[in-house]
Amino acid sequence: MSELTSRQKRILRYTAISIAVVIFYILLVYTYFQFESFGSNQTDIGLVQAIWYVFLNPTGLGNAGILKSFPSTFAGKLIGVVFAITGLSLIGLFVGKVTDLFKEYREDRRLGYYGTDFKDHVLVIGWDDFSQKIIQDLVISGIKVAVITNVRSEVDRIYEEFDDENVFVLYTDYEKYDQLSLANIGQARQVFLNRTADTDTLITLLNFHNRFEELNLKYVVRVKNEDLLPAFEIDDVRVEAVTTFNVASALIASHIFEPDVAAFGKDLIESADASDDYEIQQFLVTDENPWVNATFGDLYWDLYENHRIIPIGLGKRQNQTRELLNLPADDVTIEAGDYVIMIVNGETAQSSEHLFGVHEGGHP
């Protein structure tokens, strides 16, 4: 049996105290009526009537027809004083505790402690301006993201940038791997590791692999020191390590959801300054695509002359593997299931989705 969290323990404690107070109050009321006599027309007061009175008295309804005279015994008067003092106090205490519980519920939900039902999403470990750009690219492409952060203030920053329909945030220590079930790690498509220090990133990668080996996760790792890249080449771990110095954030996003783009674009981006105005995208060729069964040459000149889009590659799937053609020959046939890789800018990116009839990125 799993150990209760501090929040669950607190709720159980509040519940136990509330039940104890109600039972004590019922017994007090029952005792009150045993001391008092209210005339021949007053029926005997039993436990059920005492329970009813407990819920009437604190609300300000008073005797509600049950009491027909003032208490005459010392014990009755003493208990009456207790009623007068505690009635409204208990109401105020109850309302205050309920309000606290609602606030706590909202805070826990904001911090991710109620989990998410995201599927086929990307899990991002570590938040900074760099990962923010990555998440922006993913969200624009229709991919949901779960962010793990160990800094409370970053939770508010993330929700200022993104809505909870596309981004889920979990506030927890990076070493609390059991908590990752709240981010639905079992249904994640990939994990992007973005710790502050490369050594922390490597340790996190190894721990993830040991903890979640059965999930066969694919990792994309941001490495700040190029000399450490060989350390991330680990047997039996599907990991792609990329450096901040050589690779723009768009390329890391490509490793996450556009593998053809990543393979083709690495040399291109490393040999030139990255531009925020242009990026490389890939689009699936469906059976309804206007260029299905056409040649790459026809596609190239049509997109370039009429839409100012530059096709630069073609990704073909063959027996569960991927063959990437860099600048293929004009006579190469485009088939359904291929991916067209091309350079677009902010103006032509949206028109590309309209032309191809699909969102950018990889598709299952």
Side-chain angles (χ1 to χ4, degrees):
M1 183 176 179
S2 60
E3 185 178 353
L4 295 176
T5 64
S6 59
R7 176 175 53 84
Q8 291 172 328
K9 291 178 180 178
R10 192 159 52 252
I11 292 176
L12 287 177
R13 185 169 64 252
Y14 287 162
T15 302
I17 293 174
S18 299
I19 293 174
V21 169
V22 170
I23 292 175
F24 172 75
Y25 211 6
I26 291 174
L27 293 176
L28 198 63
V29 171
Y30 182 75
T31 303
Y32 174 85
F33 286 121
Q34 303 313 305
F35 279 104
E36 295 299 322
S37 175
F38 302 104
S40 58
N41 62 342
Q42 174 68 51
T43 60
D44 292 336
I45 301 300
L47 189 59
V48 174
Q49 288 84 354
I51 294 174
W52 175 246
Y53 180 80
V54 165
F55 293 98
L56 289 180
N57 188 62
T59 62
L61 295 179
N63 299 330
I66 297 179
L67 299 180
K68 300 200 175 185
S69 66
F70 291 104
S72 57
T73 65
F74 175 78
K77 293 177 180 178
L78 184 61
I79 295 175
V81 171
V82 173
F83 288 160
I85 295 175
T86 61
L88 293 177
S89 299
L90 287 175
I91 286 292
L93 181 63
F94 176 77
V95 172
K97 288 300 180 182
V98 170
T99 302
D100 290 342
L101 287 175
F102 271 109
K103 288 181 179 179
E104 184 177 344
Y105 168 78
R106 293 180 60 184
E107 177 70 3
D108 288 349
R109 191 171 186 83
R110 186 174 182 82
L111 299 181
Y113 298 153
Y114 285 88
T116 181
D117 58 357
F118 282 1
K119 295 181 180 179
D120 198 31
H121 57 293
V122 174
L123 194 64
V124 176
I125 311 297
W127 170 264
D128 56 16
D129 292 338
F130 196 83
S131 57
Q132 178 179 342
K133 171 58 179 170
I134 299 296
I135 296 171
Q136 287 174 342
D137 292 339
L138 295 173
V139 170
I140 290 174
S141 301
I143 296 176
K144 297 182 183 298
V145 180
V147 183
I148 312 300
T149 178
N150 63 350
V151 180
R152 173 61 183 87
S153 60
E154 290 178 353
V155 176
D156 297 327
R157 283 188 57 199
I158 295 171
Y159 280 129
E160 287 175 1
E161 297 292 335
F162 306 98
D163 61 73
D164 57 7
E165 293 184 1
N166 297 304
V167 176
F168 167 81
V169 184
L170 176 61
Y171 169 61
T172 185
D173 290 336
Y174 294 129
E175 289 72 26
K176 290 186 177 180
Y177 302 103
D178 293 339
Q179 291 277 66
L180 294 178
S181 61
L182 296 173
N184 207 11
I185 188 174
Q187 299 292 327
R189 64 161 63 182
Q190 287 184 8
V191 178
F192 173 47
L193 298 180
N194 185 44
R195 298 291 302 273
T196 303
D198 289 339
T199 53
D200 291 337
T201 300
L202 180 58
I203 292 172
T204 301
L205 175 63
L206 294 173
N207 288 335
F208 264 67
H209 177 62
N210 292 334
R211 282 298 194 103
F212 307 108
E213 184 176 3
E214 71 282 358
L215 299 179
N216 194 28
L217 294 169
K218 181 177 180 181
Y219 301 92
V220 177
V221 179
R222 176 193 179 191
V223 182
K224 299 177 182 179
N225 185 349
E226 278 187 315
D227 296 335
L228 295 178
L229 282 174
F232 289 88
E233 298 175 1
I234 305 171
D235 294 338
D236 301 325
V237 180
R238 296 197 303 160
V239 57
E240 185 71 35
V242 289
T243 63
T244 304
F245 180 77
N246 287 330
V247 185
S249 61
L251 178 58
I252 294 185
S254 298
H255 278 295
I256 293 175
F257 69 96
E258 294 178 315
D260 284 332
V261 171
F264 183 90
K266 187 171 184 179
D267 293 335
L268 176 65
I269 293 181
E270 288 181 354
S271 62
D273 292 333
S275 170
D276 291 334
D277 295 331
Y278 292 88
E279 63 176 326
I280 306 173
Q281 294 182 352
Q282 72 177 32
F283 288 89
L284 174 67
V285 177
T286 63
D287 292 324
E288 294 76 23
N289 190 285
W291 294 284
V292 67
N293 297 324
T295 65
F296 184 81
D298 293 335
L299 169 74
Y300 180 92
W301 290 110
D302 188 2
L303 290 178
Y304 179 72
E305 293 181 346
N306 298 322
H307 304 285
R308 312 308 297 172
I309 298 171
I310 305 176
I312 56 176
L314 197 63
K316 286 185 169 290
R317 299 185 184 276
Q318 296 181 350
N319 300 325
Q320 304 298 323
T321 63
R322 186 191 304 271
E323 179 185 6
L324 179 63
L325 305 179
N326 298 338
L327 297 175
D330 287 349
D331 59 354
V332 173
T333 302
I334 300 173
E335 301 172 307
D338 292 348
Y339 281 88
V340 177
I341 305 165
M342 49 199 190
I343 298 176
V344 299
N345 60 22
E347 295 181 357
T348 58
Q350 292 184 349
S351 63
S352 300
E353 294 190 354
H354 177 73
L355 290 170
F356 280 79
V358 295
H359 292 296
E360 65 167 306
H363 296 265

Coordinates of all heavy atoms in Angstrom, one line a residue, residues 214-242:
E214 N 11.4 -0.1 -19.5 CA 10.4 -0.9 -20.2 C 9.5 0.0 -21.1 O 8.9 -0.5 -22.0 CB 9.5 -1.6 -19.2 CG 8.5 -0.6 -18.4 CD 9.2 0.1 -17.3 OE1 10.5 -0.1 -17.1 OE2 8.6 0.9 -16.6
L215 N 9.6 1.3 -21.0 CA 8.8 2.2 -21.8 C 9.5 2.4 -23.2 O 8.8 2.9 -24.1 CB 8.6 3.5 -21.1 CG 7.8 3.5 -19.8 CD1 7.7 4.9 -19.2 CD2 6.4 2.9 -20.0
N216 N 10.8 2.1 -23.3 CA 11.5 2.3 -24.5 C 11.4 3.8 -25.0 O 11.1 4.0 -26.2 CB 11.1 1.3 -25.6 CG 12.1 1.3 -26.7 OD1 13.3 1.5 -26.6 ND2 11.6 1.0 -27.9
L217 N 11.6 4.7 -24.1 CA 11.4 6.1 -24.5 C 12.6 6.6 -25.4 O 13.7 6.1 -25.3 CB 11.4 7.0 -23.2 CG 10.2 6.8 -22.3 CD1 10.5 7.5 -21.0 CD2 9.0 7.3 -22.9
K218 N 12.3 7.6 -26.2 CA 13.3 8.2 -27.0 C 13.6 9.6 -26.4 O 12.7 10.3 -26.0 CB 12.8 8.5 -28.4 CG 13.9 9.1 -29.3 CD 13.4 9.3 -30.7 CE 14.5 9.9 -31.6 NZ 14.1 10.1 -33.0
Y219 N 14.9 9.9 -26.2 CA 15.3 11.1 -25.5 C 16.0 12.1 -26.5 O 16.8 11.7 -27.4 CB 16.3 10.8 -24.4 CG 15.7 9.8 -23.4 CD1 15.9 8.5 -23.5 CD2 15.0 10.3 -22.3 CE1 15.4 7.6 -22.5 CE2 14.5 9.5 -21.3 CZ 14.7 8.1 -21.5 OH 14.2 7.3 -20.5
V220 N 15.7 13.3 -26.4 CA 16.4 14.4 -27.0 C 17.1 15.2 -25.9 O 16.4 15.6 -24.9 CB 15.5 15.3 -27.8 CG1 16.3 16.5 -28.4 CG2 14.9 14.5 -29.0
V221 N 18.4 15.4 -26.0 CA 19.2 16.0 -24.9 C 19.9 17.2 -25.3 O 20.6 17.2 -26.4 CB 20.2 14.9 -24.3 CG1 21.0 15.6 -23.2 CG2 19.5 13.7 -23.9
R222 N 19.7 18.3 -24.6 CA 20.5 19.5 -24.9 C 21.8 19.5 -24.1 O 21.8 19.4 -22.9 CB 19.6 20.7 -24.5 CG 20.4 22.1 -24.6 CD 19.6 23.2 -23.9 NE 20.2 24.4 -24.0 CZ 19.9 25.5 -23.3 NH1 18.9 25.4 -22.5 NH2 20.5 26.7 -23.5
V223 N 22.9 19.6 -24.8 CA 24.2 19.5 -24.3 C 24.9 20.9 -24.5 O 25.0 21.3 -25.7 CB 25.1 18.4 -24.8 CG1 26.4 18.4 -24.2 CG2 24.3 17.1 -24.7
K224 N 25.4 21.5 -23.5 CA 26.0 22.8 -23.6 C 27.5 22.8 -23.9 O 28.0 23.7 -24.5 CB 25.7 23.6 -22.3 CG 24.3 23.8 -22.0 CD 24.0 24.6 -20.7 CE 22.5 24.7 -20.4 NZ 22.3 25.4 -19.2
N225 N 28.1 21.7 -23.6 CA 29.6 21.5 -23.8 C 29.8 20.5 -24.9 O 29.5 19.3 -24.6 CB 30.3 21.2 -22.5 CG 31.8 21.1 -22.7 OD1 32.3 21.2 -23.8 ND2 32.5 21.0 -21.6
E226 N 30.3 20.8 -26.0 CA 30.4 19.9 -27.1 C 31.3 18.7 -26.8 O 31.1 17.6 -27.2 CB 31.0 20.6 -28.3 CG 30.0 21.4 -29.2 CD 30.7 21.9 -30.5 OE1 31.8 22.4 -30.4 OE2 30.1 21.7 -31.5
D227 N 32.3 19.0 -25.9 CA 33.2 17.9 -25.5 C 32.5 16.7 -24.8 O 33.1 15.6 -24.7 CB 34.3 18.5 -24.6 CG 35.2 19.5 -25.4 OD1 35.3 19.4 -26.6 OD2 35.8 20.4 -24.7
L228 N 31.4 17.0 -24.2 CA 30.7 16.0 -23.5 C 29.7 15.1 -24.4 O 29.1 14.2 -23.8 CB 29.9 16.6 -22.3 CG 30.7 17.2 -21.2 CD1 29.8 17.9 -20.2 CD2 31.6 16.2 -20.6
L229 N 29.6 15.5 -25.6 CA 28.7 14.7 -26.5 C 28.9 13.2 -26.5 O 28.0 12.4 -26.4 CB 28.8 15.3 -27.9 CG 28.0 16.6 -28.2 CD1 28.3 17.1 -29.6 CD2 26.5 16.4 -28.0
P230 N 30.2 12.7 -26.6 CA 30.4 11.3 -26.5 C 29.8 10.6 -25.3 O 29.5 9.4 -25.3 CB 31.9 11.1 -26.6 CG 32.4 12.4 -27.3 CD 31.4 13.5 -26.8
A231 N 29.8 11.3 -24.2 CA 29.3 10.7 -22.9 C 27.8 10.4 -23.0 O 27.3 9.5 -22.3 CB 29.5 11.7 -21.8
F232 N 27.1 11.0 -24.0 CA 25.7 10.7 -24.1 C 25.4 9.6 -25.1 O 24.2 9.3 -25.4 CB 24.9 12.0 -24.5 CG 24.9 13.0 -23.4 CD1 25.9 13.9 -23.3 CD2 23.8 13.0 -22.5 CE1 25.9 14.9 -22.3 CE2 23.8 14.0 -21.5 CZ 24.8 14.9 -21.4
E233 N 26.4 9.0 -25.7 CA 26.2 7.8 -26.6 C 26.2 6.6 -25.7 O 27.2 6.0 -25.4 CB 27.4 7.8 -27.6 CG 27.4 9.0 -28.5 CD 28.6 9.0 -29.4 OE1 29.4 8.1 -29.4 OE2 28.7 10.0 -30.2
I234 N 25.0 6.2 -25.3 CA 24.9 5.1 -24.3 C 24.2 3.9 -25.0 O 23.2 4.1 -25.8 CB 24.0 5.6 -23.1 CG1 24.6 6.8 -22.5 CG2 23.9 4.5 -22.1 CD1 23.8 7.5 -21.5
D235 N 24.7 2.7 -24.8 CA 24.2 1.6 -25.5 C 22.7 1.3 -25.0 O 22.4 1.5 -23.8 CB 25.0 0.3 -25.1 CG 26.4 0.4 -25.8 OD1 26.6 1.1 -26.8 OD2 27.3 -0.3 -25.3
D236 N 21.9 0.9 -25.9 CA 20.5 0.5 -25.6 C 19.6 1.7 -25.2 O 18.5 1.5 -24.7 CB 20.4 -0.6 -24.5 CG 21.2 -1.8 -24.9 OD1 21.2 -2.2 -26.1 OD2 21.8 -2.5 -24.0
V237 N 20.1 2.9 -25.4 CA 19.3 4.1 -25.0 C 19.1 4.9 -26.3 O 20.1 5.3 -27.0 CB 20.0 5.0 -24.0 CG1 19.1 6.2 -23.7 CG2 20.3 4.2 -22.7
R238 N 17.9 5.1 -26.7 CA 17.6 5.9 -27.9 C 17.7 7.4 -27.5 O 16.7 8.0 -26.9 CB 16.1 5.6 -28.3 CG 16.0 4.2 -28.8 CD 14.7 4.0 -29.7 NE 13.5 4.5 -28.9 CZ 12.4 4.8 -29.5 NH1 12.3 4.8 -30.9 NH2 11.3 5.1 -28.8
V239 N 18.8 8.0 -27.8 CA 19.1 9.4 -27.4 C 19.7 10.1 -28.5 O 20.5 9.6 -29.2 CB 20.0 9.4 -26.1 CG1 21.3 8.7 -26.3 CG2 20.2 10.8 -25.7
E240 N 19.3 11.3 -28.7 CA 19.9 12.3 -29.7 C 20.4 13.5 -28.9 O 19.6 14.2 -28.3 CB 18.9 12.7 -30.7 CG 19.4 13.5 -31.8 CD 20.3 12.8 -32.8 OE1 20.1 11.6 -33.0 OE2 21.3 13.4 -33.3
A241 N 21.7 13.7 -28.8 CA 22.3 14.8 -28.1 C 22.6 15.9 -29.1 O 23.3 15.7 -30.1 CB 23.5 14.3 -27.3
V242 N 22.2 17.1 -28.7 CA 22.4 18.3 -29.6 C 23.0 19.4 -28.7 O 22.7 19.5 -27.6 CB 21.2 18.7 -30.3 CG1 20.7 17.7 -31.4 CG2 20.0 18.9 -29.4

